[in-house]
Amino acid sequence: MEPLAFVEVLGRHNDVLARHAVYRWPARIGRGYDMDVILDDRFVAARHLQIEPAADGRFALTDLQSLNGISLPPSDKRMSAAEVGPDDVVRLGQTQLRVRAPSYAVRAERPLRATAVYRRPVAFAIMAAVLLGLAFWNSWVVATHEEERAFLAFSIVLIFVAAGIWVSIWALVSRTVGGRSNFSGHGFVACAGLTALALWDTLVEYLSFGFDAHWLKHFGTLGAAAIFAYMVYRHLRLNSRAVRSRLGIAAMIVSVTAYGVGTGFQIASDSARQGVQRYSQALKAPLFLMVSGVSPEAFVAEGETLKRKVDAMARAEP
């Protein structure tokens, strides 16, 4: 016996979760075992919905006096009857359905695409190695003796442990939501994001040194927030097929919140250290200095003036 229609159970993004063939009219849908299509949804009545064919390949829906009724998304308005086409979605309880005839013309098949490079384990391993090399290079530049290098090496281990936890959380969410962990993809995104943040921080530090402009550090914070937002956006893209604009807004909210809290702590720390001399931990070659500094003669003269003031203050003390 040929099916007369198909009732499709849809997911949140209109992907088909199940497809049920209908062999008689009228067809009834509900939780009861005597229904033509049985739904496992506690918000659906035992006898909830009746479907019959209508004109022009459409279908007439009738609510069977259920408690929660039916609606046609995106509207939440409850309806007792409706007429739908093959591309319309009907909601009953917490389940979304679509009814299509066997003659419905499906879209042409899409060409297979190779797995994106950044989702491959090799790409993840290469990016992790790049991040590890960059971290050790920065530690070697900043550290001045072996004890500092050992401490910084321990800090690098902690960073990688935190990154591993970060990637594992995203992979777990991906497995829960989409059925695939995408661990290599999330690992690549995390390592690439941390590498970009480290390179950006170094660039801003050198520009601040070269132009003697401490205010560039604030610009650096904005750039770092943008990089972090893009990193979160790529994680979300691996986990969700929602509209890209929504994912972008969510990523920006996360980044602004994180960097807002971080900036607040930094301001509090700077206030507590007010009057303390600031200096860069990494020595930089004079080649990177783009502005003319104080001449050695002027520096020595200012030092002599300062010495005389300090000597006078010392003699004035009782």
Side-chain angles (χ1 to χ4, degrees):
M1 184 177 180
E2 295 293 329
L4 303 175
F6 290 92
V7 176
E8 297 175 336
V9 180
L10 308 179
R12 290 186 303 171
H13 306 298
N14 287 345
D15 48 325
V16 179
L17 302 179
R19 187 175 285 112
H20 303 274
V22 173
Y23 294 98
R24 64 177 181 179
W25 298 121
R28 294 179 174 84
I29 300 175
R31 280 191 300 117
Y33 287 98
D34 58 340
M35 296 293 99
D36 298 293
V37 177
I38 303 173
L39 299 178
D40 186 17
D41 182 346
R42 59 191 180 129
F43 298 97
V44 171
R47 300 174 68 254
H48 198 115
L49 178 66
Q50 178 174 287
I51 305 174
E52 295 180 284
D56 301 325
R58 298 174 67 81
F59 298 92
L61 310 180
T62 304
D63 176 32
L64 299 177
Q65 298 181 347
S66 65
L67 177 63
N68 295 315
I70 62 174
S71 61
L72 300 181
S75 173
D76 291 330
K77 181 181 178 181
R78 176 173 172 172
M79 309 172 69
S80 59
E83 189 174 293
V84 296
D87 294 320
D88 295 325
V89 177
V90 57
R91 181 184 180 93
L92 52 158
Q94 291 187 341
T95 303
Q96 294 190 133
L97 301 178
R98 183 171 58 201
V99 186
R100 285 178 170 174
S103 59
Y104 179 82
V106 299
R107 296 179 181 178
E109 72 275 19
R110 298 175 61 179
L112 289 173
R113 295 186 299 177
T115 303
V117 174
Y118 75 95
R119 294 191 181 190
R120 298 178 180 178
V122 174
F124 173 32
I126 292 175
M127 187 52 63
V130 170
L131 177 60
L132 182 63
L134 181 62
F136 274 106
W137 170 260
N138 287 339
S139 299
W140 184 83
V141 170
V142 172
T144 56
H145 49 79
E146 293 300 326
E147 289 78 6
E148 284 190 357
R149 291 195 176 107
F151 174 76
L152 290 172
F154 179 71
S155 301
I156 292 172
V157 172
L158 290 181
I159 291 173
F160 270 83
V161 169
I165 295 174
W166 171 270
V167 173
S168 298
I169 292 174
W170 281 108
L172 177 61
V173 173
S174 184
R175 168 72 70 177
T176 303
V177 175
R180 297 177 56 188
S181 64
N182 288 319
F183 188 86
S184 296
H186 286 298
F188 179 90
V189 170
C191 291
L194 291 174
T195 301
L197 286 171
L199 293 175
W200 175 254
D201 181 69
T202 301
L203 176 63
V204 171
E205 186 176 351
Y206 272 86
L207 289 175
S208 178
F209 167 79
F211 293 98
D212 192 23
H214 183 72
W215 59 268
L216 282 175
K217 296 292 183 67
H218 302 295
F219 174 73
T221 300
L222 293 177
I227 293 173
F228 183 72
Y230 184 71
M231 183 174 72
V232 174
Y233 170 76
R234 297 306 308 184
H235 280 304
L236 291 174
R237 282 289 309 277
L238 286 170
N239 284 2
S240 174
R241 285 183 286 178
V243 180
R244 294 185 181 185
S245 59
R246 294 182 179 178
L247 297 180
I249 292 173
M252 285 190 291
I253 292 174
V254 172
S255 180
V256 169
T257 301
Y259 273 85
V261 172
T263 302
F265 280 112
Q266 185 64 45
I267 293 174
S269 176
D270 291 344
S271 300
R273 299 176 56 193
Q274 190 171 6
V276 177
Q277 179 68 37
R278 296 179 180 178
Y279 64 94
S280 175
Q281 290 180 298
L283 297 177
K284 301 174 180 62
L287 174 66
F288 294 102
L289 192 61
M290 302 299 176
V291 294
S292 57
V294 179
S295 65
E297 294 78 10
F299 180 80
V300 172
E302 290 181 4
E304 290 294 336
T305 302
L306 179 61
K307 182 178 181 301
R308 287 193 294 271
K309 289 182 179 179
V310 172
D311 291 341
M313 293 172 60
R315 288 191 297 270
E317 291 182 355

